[in-house]
Amino acid sequence: MNEKLKDYKEEVTAKLVSALEQGTVPWRKPWTSSVPFNAVSGRPYNGINTVVLMMRGLELDDGADPRWATYLQAQEKGWQIKKGAKGTRVTLWKNLVLPPEQEDQEGKTIMMHKLFTVFHASQIEGIGEYQPAIKNELESNETAERLMLNSGAEIRHGGCKACYYPSEDYIMLPDKRDFHSASGYYATALHELIHWTGHKTRLNRDLTGEKRSKSYAKEELVAELGSMFLSRIAGIKQDEEVYSNHASYISSWLKCLKEDVNFVFKVSAEASRAAEFLRDQKGAD
């Protein structure tokens, strides 16, 4: 790992550790706003970049505006970066095909990364006011229902526990009426759907970890981040009902972060893949 990437990973990890040690889970907030996206291309950020930009956005404007742009993009649009504005570093990974050593051999593919700096909309003059595409609760619920239906997952209802059973490959949810809100029901369902994507016949993640193990903590964070990505896309409000059962994982996440600087980067990538897997199912938005 080169020094710049190592420094970046240590910086991001240190910020997460600091927040968690203060009892704050930095990606949690009751919201329905969009995932962070590039103000020029319109393309959403993914993986660790989503987490990094959400954390920084919360500091800058409480997460209200999800738009970001590089200095060059702002210049090309005629916008001006505000004097003294401090940019936020994100990373871009690309597959690079090396030329073959001999004509009869195939080139080797390696992953290359590039760190670059982006600025939040609140740090850019001339960008204009953000006009969010607001979904009402009915639209949000319909989007979540489509994700659930199009996944093909077996979802059973009853009892008082929400969980996914990998050995039998089905999701169990309490009845919808037993939740305090529709958003609580759908956010919980999306969390379990992310677990469902990890089955060996789908994305094949390790779902065998015992409670308090590193693999268990990792999978719970994959599910939390993945469901958060989907909830923000769908417009499902995240509230304390969704997170009340997850507080016990914080100490495990802290332990993993302190032991492995790559932990949150791996988890974020897997959460993005899981969310994309569900969105790519036939008919999903």
Side-chain angles (χ1 to χ4, degrees):
M1 187 189 307
N2 69 41
E3 285 302 312
K4 284 187 178 180
L5 181 59
K6 182 174 181 290
D7 289 345
Y8 176 69
K9 288 186 174 183
E10 289 176 348
E11 174 190 329
V12 172
T13 300
K15 287 181 179 178
L16 285 167
V17 167
S18 176
L20 290 171
E21 286 182 334
Q22 294 174 40
T24 301
V25 182
W27 54 83
R28 292 180 182 173
K29 181 181 181 295
W31 48 27
T32 55
S33 59
S34 176
V35 294
F37 67 89
N38 186 275
V40 176
S41 69
R43 188 166 58 189
Y45 296 94
N46 56 30
I48 191 63
N49 292 337
T50 303
V51 177
V52 168
L53 295 180
M54 283 171 51
M55 287 195 299
R56 181 62 174 145
L58 286 170
E59 294 173 359
L60 291 169
D61 73 344
D62 205 29
D65 194 325
R67 295 174 299 168
W68 298 80
T70 65
Y71 181 86
L72 183 58
Q73 286 177 321
Q75 275 193 324
E76 291 173 346
K77 295 290 288 186
W79 303 333
Q80 183 68 41
I81 304 299
K82 294 179 180 178
K83 186 176 180 180
K86 183 180 179 182
T88 303
R89 290 195 298 174
V90 292
T91 185
L92 174 67
W93 289 90
K94 284 186 176 181
N95 285 321
L96 179 65
V97 180
L98 299 178
E101 295 179 2
Q102 299 177 9
E103 290 185 5
D104 61 346
Q105 293 180 341
E106 292 185 0
K108 181 181 179 182
T109 301
I110 61 173
M111 288 292 290
M112 294 290 293
H113 82 279
K114 178 182 179 182
L115 291 172
F116 58 102
T117 300
V118 293
F119 294 87
H120 185 255
S122 66
Q123 300 173 311
I124 304 172
E125 293 178 345
I127 192 172
E129 186 178 350
Y130 175 54
Q131 299 293 335
I134 300 174
K135 289 186 177 182
N136 61 40
E137 186 176 23
L138 178 61
E139 290 174 316
S140 297
N141 294 350
E142 287 176 347
T143 300
E145 284 283 359
R146 284 197 299 273
L147 286 165
M148 295 165 66
L149 178 64
N150 294 331
S151 71
E154 181 182 353
I155 301 176
R156 304 177 187 178
H157 291 83
C160 57
K161 185 178 180 181
C163 54
Y164 167 61
Y165 294 96
S167 60
E168 300 177 63
D169 197 21
Y170 74 87
I171 292 168
M172 194 74 191
L173 294 173
D175 291 325
K176 191 183 296 187
R177 64 176 179 270
D178 292 332
F179 287 81
H180 296 304
S181 65
S183 61
Y185 168 78
Y186 288 114
T188 302
L190 294 179
H191 179 99
E192 299 306 330
L193 268 179
I194 294 292
H195 282 313
W196 174 87
T197 67
H199 192 268
K200 61 184 178 181
T201 62
R202 290 179 281 275
L203 297 182
N204 195 27
R205 295 191 306 274
D206 180 8
L207 304 179
T208 64
E210 298 285 339
K211 284 193 175 183
R212 299 183 182 86
S213 69
K214 181 176 180 178
S215 60
Y216 186 87
K218 179 181 177 183
E219 175 59 24
E220 281 304 322
L221 190 50
V222 168
E224 173 147 330
L225 291 178
S227 61
M228 180 269 295
F229 295 159
L230 289 175
S231 292
R232 294 197 74 178
I233 291 166
I236 300 295
K237 182 180 178 182
Q238 300 289 276
D239 54 33
E240 287 304 314
E241 180 183 13
V242 180
Y243 293 129
S244 60
N245 294 325
H246 303 166
S248 60
Y249 303 132
I250 292 178
S251 60
S252 296
W253 295 339
L254 268 171
K255 186 174 185 292
C256 293
L257 285 164
K258 290 177 178 179
E259 290 178 350
D260 183 5
V261 74
N262 293 305
F263 176 73
V264 72
F265 291 80
K266 294 174 183 176
V267 168
S268 299
E270 292 191 11
S272 281
R273 280 194 291 272
E276 288 167 9
F277 179 89
L278 289 169
R279 292 190 69 200
D280 287 344
Q281 301 309 297
K282 184 178 179 181
D285 290 337

